[in-house]
């Protein structure tokens, strides 16, 4: 009984402390207390529920039987909206706090919410090498199923909670993108419900204009109900090499070289300062040297970015074998390196061994409990941005990031960008090698002011024909936005499909004024 009494006394003291200080004070100034005591256990319950649900649905094969009825229900909702006079724009009914983006758009409050309950894997066809999924299927679901049967996606973006719909309507990238491109480039077909309630299927050869216009459109051309995605045979491990590199020019040269080597299945860089980085290259393999096996995804293991930093600190190269699924989600436990700002002692061995099995808290729950005061603090004193620039501009881009935001580590991920129609493509007519520069954390530049610093960074990205990922805060005006993105096909289809009175324009959906 004594442990139970002690726990009850601690809980009572904690509640009294909250009562004295106020809940908002605790959430803002002692956020780790709230996260550890409430959000971590709640996140674990969410994960267990959805994992068991996904397993049962797939084993019972109930998703394919229910899918058509769910699509018809979406069509019915859209037709009812039309019958009622189409008075407001439409959007998905999924609450904004459930998305992985750190911002919550206020358009959900004024638009007609169409409920879309599509969160299952429908079919895995190993002969055609295709997986057919609904839009709310997460990357965690995909890896759990596909790797268990010996398959994987060519591009499998990092965080567990990223959804297929978000990765298509927005974008997605991973360290294999130097071979396969962005997430949209491994998709072979989309099925949508359009503004008039009709159902349409599009592929590179059928309704091809719509197929190429959907990516990056943020749900402003129709409601995605199904996606077909390529799969490739998987192996058990990733043989990962770690190489510390010093000197900005050497870093850029080495990274460009490794990104163009076809034998590399994975290429990634972590930049710890303007002059120091670790470049990682990996290949899939079924064999592993037992002495070099690293189960980096185990709850008691160091966070991956801290583990990588040790190679830099000790100035040595390394070789490890990491189980494939653990490699795919190597940054999940620490949400890249964002969790260190929320739980400062999260990488401490004692915390990892005692509570690491509950980490990470779900981003959606962090958003839900954020509060207006904390949201404004994050907006002014926190950066979460991914900028996509040509590889040939990497050195110039890193100087710009250093001067404008000064956030480290910086994530470097190369990708090929094919010359295809749509919102995002290279300036010329040929495929070009690009790089995603990801900055996440508290800026250390003096007198940081979010709007002016971000606008300066956006201006640079436009000048080199780069692109800004649309999950992040966008400070561009409309003219600048359409200078960055090619809207010719997008606007043509909006007019052709009657979207202008049904969905907001993508700029209005993601710009600062619409999202806060």
């Amino acid at each position: 009984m004594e442990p139970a009494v002690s726990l009850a006394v601690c809980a009572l003291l904690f509640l009294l402390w909250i009562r004295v200080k106020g809940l908002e004070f605790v959430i803002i100034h002692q956020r780790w207390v709230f996260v550890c005591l409430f959000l971590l256990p709640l996140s674990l319950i969410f994960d267990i529920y959805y994992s068991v649900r996904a397993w049962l649905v797939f084993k019972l094969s109930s998703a394919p039987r229910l899918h058509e009825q769910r699509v018809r229900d979406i069509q019915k909702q859209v037709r009812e909206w039309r019958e009622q006079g189409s008075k407001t724009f439409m959007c998905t009914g999924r609450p904004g706090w459930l998305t992985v983006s750190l911002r919550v758009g206020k358009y959900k409050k004024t638009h007609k919410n169409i409920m879309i309950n599509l969160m299952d894997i429908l079919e895995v066809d190993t002969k055609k090498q295709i997986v057919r999924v609904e839009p709310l299927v997460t990357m965690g679901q995909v890896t759990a199923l596909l790797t268990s049967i010996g398959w994987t996606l060519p591009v499998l973006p990092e965080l567990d909670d990223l959804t297929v719909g978000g990765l298509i309507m927005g974008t997605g990238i991973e360290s294999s993108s130097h071979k396969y491109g962005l997430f949209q480039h491994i998709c072979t077909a989309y099925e949508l419900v359009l503004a008039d309630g009709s159902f349409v299927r599009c592929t590179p050869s059928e309704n091809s204009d719509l197929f190429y216009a959907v990516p990056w459109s943020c749900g402003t051309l129709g409601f995605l109900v199904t996606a077909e995605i390529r799969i490739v045979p998987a192996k058990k491990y990733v043989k990962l090499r770690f190489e510390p590199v010093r000197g900005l020019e050497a870093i850029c040269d080495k990274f460009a070289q490794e990104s163009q080597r076809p034998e590399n299945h994975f290429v990634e860089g972590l930049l710890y300062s303007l002059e120091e980085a670790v470049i990682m290259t990996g290949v899939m393999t079924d064999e592993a040297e037992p002495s070099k096996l690293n189960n980096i995804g185990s709850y008691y293991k160091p966070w991956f970015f801290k583990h990588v930093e040790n190679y830099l600190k000790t100035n040595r190269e390394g070789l490890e074998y990491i189980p494939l699924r653990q490699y795919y989600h190597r940054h999940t436990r620490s949400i890249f390196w964002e969790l260190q700002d929320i739980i400062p002692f999260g990488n401490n061995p004692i915390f990892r061994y005692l509570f690491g099995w509950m980490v990470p808290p779900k981003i959606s729950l962090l958003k839900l409990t954020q509060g207006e005061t904390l949201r404004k603090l994050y907006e002014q004193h926190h950066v979460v941005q991914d900028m996509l620039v040509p590889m040939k501009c990497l050195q110039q881009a890193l100087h710009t990031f250093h001067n404008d935001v000064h956030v480290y580590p910086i994530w470097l991920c190369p990708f090929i960008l094919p010359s295809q129609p749509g919102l995002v493509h290279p300036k010329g007519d040929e495929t070009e090698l690009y790089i995603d520069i990801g900055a996440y954390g508290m800026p250390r530049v003096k007198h940081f002011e979010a709007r002016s610093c971000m606008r300066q960074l956006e201006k640079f990205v436009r000048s080199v024909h780069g692109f800004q990922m649309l999950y992040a805060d966008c400070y561009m005006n409309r003219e600048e936005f359409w200078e960055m993105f090619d809207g010719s096909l997008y606007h043509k289809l909006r007019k052709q499909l009657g979207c202008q009175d049904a969905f907001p324009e993508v700029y209005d959906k993601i710009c600062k004024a619409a999202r806060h």
Side-chain angles (χ1 to χ4, degrees):
M1 286 293 291
E2 288 185 6
V5 171
S6 299
L7 188 62
V9 170
C10 289
L12 181 61
L13 290 173
F14 176 69
L15 291 172
L16 286 172
W17 181 55
I18 289 179
R19 184 177 178 87
V20 172
K21 290 291 188 179
L23 183 60
E24 186 177 49
F25 176 89
V26 174
I27 290 177
I28 294 173
H29 298 285
Q30 305 293 336
R31 188 155 172 77
W32 65 267
V33 176
F34 185 76
V35 169
C36 291
L37 291 182
F38 294 101
L39 297 193
L40 286 182
L42 195 56
S43 297
L44 182 65
I45 293 169
F46 267 60
D47 284 337
I48 292 172
Y49 168 76
Y50 282 110
S51 295
V52 171
R53 181 196 176 280
W55 182 82
L56 286 173
V57 165
F58 191 77
K59 287 297 181 182
L60 297 174
S61 300
S62 61
R65 295 198 305 269
L66 296 173
H67 176 71
E68 289 186 9
Q69 177 56 48
R70 290 171 177 166
V71 172
R72 285 195 293 271
D73 181 62
I74 294 167
Q75 291 179 284
K76 180 183 176 183
Q77 292 179 68
V78 173
R79 287 167 181 152
E80 287 175 352
W81 166 82
R82 290 175 63 86
E83 289 168 3
Q84 292 167 4
S86 312
K87 296 175 183 177
T88 63
F89 288 138
M90 291 183 289
C91 67
T92 65
R94 190 185 189 210
W97 59 268
L98 274 175
T99 63
V100 171
S101 167
L102 293 180
R103 303 302 176 194
V104 179
K106 66 182 183 182
Y107 62 86
K108 297 272 186 183
K109 298 176 182 177
T110 57
H111 292 7
K112 168 67 175 177
N113 283 212
I114 303 297
M115 303 310 297
I116 297 180
N117 182 29
L118 299 171
M119 57 180 70
D120 297 312
I121 297 173
L122 300 173
E123 179 186 9
V124 179
D125 189 331
T126 55
K127 289 185 179 179
K128 294 181 180 178
Q129 297 195 5
I130 292 292
V131 60
R132 190 164 179 261
V133 299
E134 294 178 329
L136 295 181
V137 165
T138 67
M139 291 300 99
Q141 283 176 261
V142 170
T143 51
L145 175 64
L146 290 184
T147 55
S148 70
I149 59 175
W151 293 86
T152 186
L153 299 184
V155 176
L156 207 152
E158 171 59 45
L159 300 177
D160 280 20
D161 291 341
L162 292 170
T163 64
V164 168
L167 294 168
I168 292 170
M169 292 296 184
T171 193
I173 191 171
E174 191 34 83
S175 54
S176 56
S177 288
H178 68 292
K179 289 173 67 74
Y180 298 103
L182 298 172
F183 191 81
Q184 69 204 58
H185 300 127
I186 64 167
C187 296
T188 60
Y190 308 126
E191 293 174 352
L192 299 99
V193 172
L194 300 180
D196 61 357
S198 63
F199 172 88
V200 67
R201 176 181 171 85
C202 55
T203 70
S205 58
E206 177 187 4
N207 297 311
S208 59
D209 278 357
L210 183 58
F211 177 81
Y212 289 115
V214 162
W216 294 74
S217 66
C218 298
T220 60
L221 292 173
F223 295 109
L224 183 69
V225 294
T226 319
E228 293 179 9
I229 310 168
R230 289 168 52 201
I231 57 175
V232 294
K235 296 187 177 181
K236 294 180 181 178
Y237 307 102
V238 173
K239 181 181 179 181
L240 194 63
R241 296 186 181 276
F242 302 80
E243 184 175 348
V245 185
R246 287 179 165 82
L248 182 58
E249 187 173 345
I251 291 169
C252 295
D253 289 344
K254 178 68 174 175
F255 198 76
Q257 290 169 14
E258 296 296 346
S259 301
Q260 296 176 72
R261 288 184 177 168
E263 63 267 28
N264 288 331
H265 295 163
F266 306 100
V267 178
E268 174 185 27
L270 293 184
L271 193 73
Y272 290 92
S273 76
L274 191 59
E275 301 290 334
E276 297 177 308
V278 177
I279 294 174
M280 291 158 279
T281 56
V283 295
M284 281 197 285
T285 178
D286 283 322
E287 305 296 329
E289 300 174 47
S291 63
K292 296 180 179 178
L293 182 61
N294 186 359
N295 288 292
I296 194 67
S298 298
Y299 69 88
Y300 53 83
K301 287 284 189 173
W303 289 345
F304 184 72
F305 78 97
K306 287 293 188 182
H307 173 66
V308 174
E309 191 176 16
N310 284 332
Y311 285 103
L312 186 66
K313 289 180 176 179
T314 56
N315 197 31
R316 62 187 176 90
E317 296 183 9
L319 174 65
E320 298 177 358
Y321 293 83
I322 301 175
L324 179 63
R325 187 164 188 248
Q326 294 187 22
Y327 173 79
Y328 280 139
H329 300 294
R330 63 201 178 280
H331 292 296
T332 293
R333 285 191 301 129
S334 56
I335 318 179
F336 281 85
W337 31 93
E338 289 278 59
L339 197 56
Q340 66 182 349
D341 292 333
I342 300 170
I343 308 177
F345 47 83
N347 195 47
N348 183 283
I350 297 174
F351 180 86
R352 293 200 311 265
Y353 274 90
L354 293 178
F355 305 106
W357 50 277
M358 290 193 290
V359 168
K362 297 190 84 64
I363 295 174
S364 55
L365 295 179
L366 289 171
K367 287 170 61 179
L368 182 63
T369 59
Q370 193 175 48
E372 186 64 18
T373 303
L374 191 59
R375 185 192 67 76
K376 289 180 178 178
L377 283 172
Y378 263 87
E379 181 181 321
Q380 289 302 321
H381 305 289
H382 199 85
V383 168
V384 180
Q385 290 283 348
D386 281 86
M387 298 294 188
L388 316 180
V389 300
M391 181 68 78
K392 61 190 177 187
C393 303
L394 176 58
Q395 189 167 338
Q396 185 185 1
L398 292 178
H399 270 296
T400 304
F401 269 81
H402 181 82
N403 294 331
D404 289 350
V405 294
H406 200 96
V407 169
Y408 291 99
I410 280 178
W411 190 53
L412 303 177
C413 186
F415 68 99
I416 53 168
L417 186 60
S419 180
Q420 295 176 346
L423 286 160
V424 171
H425 56 75
K427 191 173 184 179
D429 296 328
E430 297 181 358
T431 296
E432 187 171 350
L433 185 63
Y434 270 63
I435 183 167
D436 175 7
I437 302 175
Y440 325 117
M442 295 182 64
R444 287 179 282 171
V445 65
K446 289 183 179 179
H447 311 300
F448 176 79
E449 198 280 316
R451 187 177 186 277
S452 60
C453 289
M454 286 302 102
R455 280 190 55 77
Q456 197 164 316
L457 194 58
E458 290 167 346
K459 182 179 180 181
F460 165 77
V461 173
R462 289 197 306 275
S463 73
V464 296
H465 198 73
F467 307 94
Q468 178 182 25
M469 282 199 185
L470 301 183
Y471 77 87
D473 283 335
C474 170
Y475 291 84
M476 292 181 283
N477 61 38
R478 194 179 302 273
E479 183 180 351
E480 291 165 341
F481 181 86
W482 291 117
E483 179 187 337
M484 178 179 285
F485 297 96
D486 181 358
S488 54
L489 180 62
Y490 172 78
H491 290 303
K492 170 189 165 185
L493 281 171
R494 291 232 339 141
K495 184 176 181 181
Q496 183 179 314
L497 299 175
C499 299
Q500 292 166 324
D501 296 322
F503 306 104
E505 186 182 291
V506 62
Y507 173 79
D508 294 313
K509 195 169 183 179
I510 61 91
C511 71
K512 284 287 293 178
R515 298 184 63 188
H516 296 281

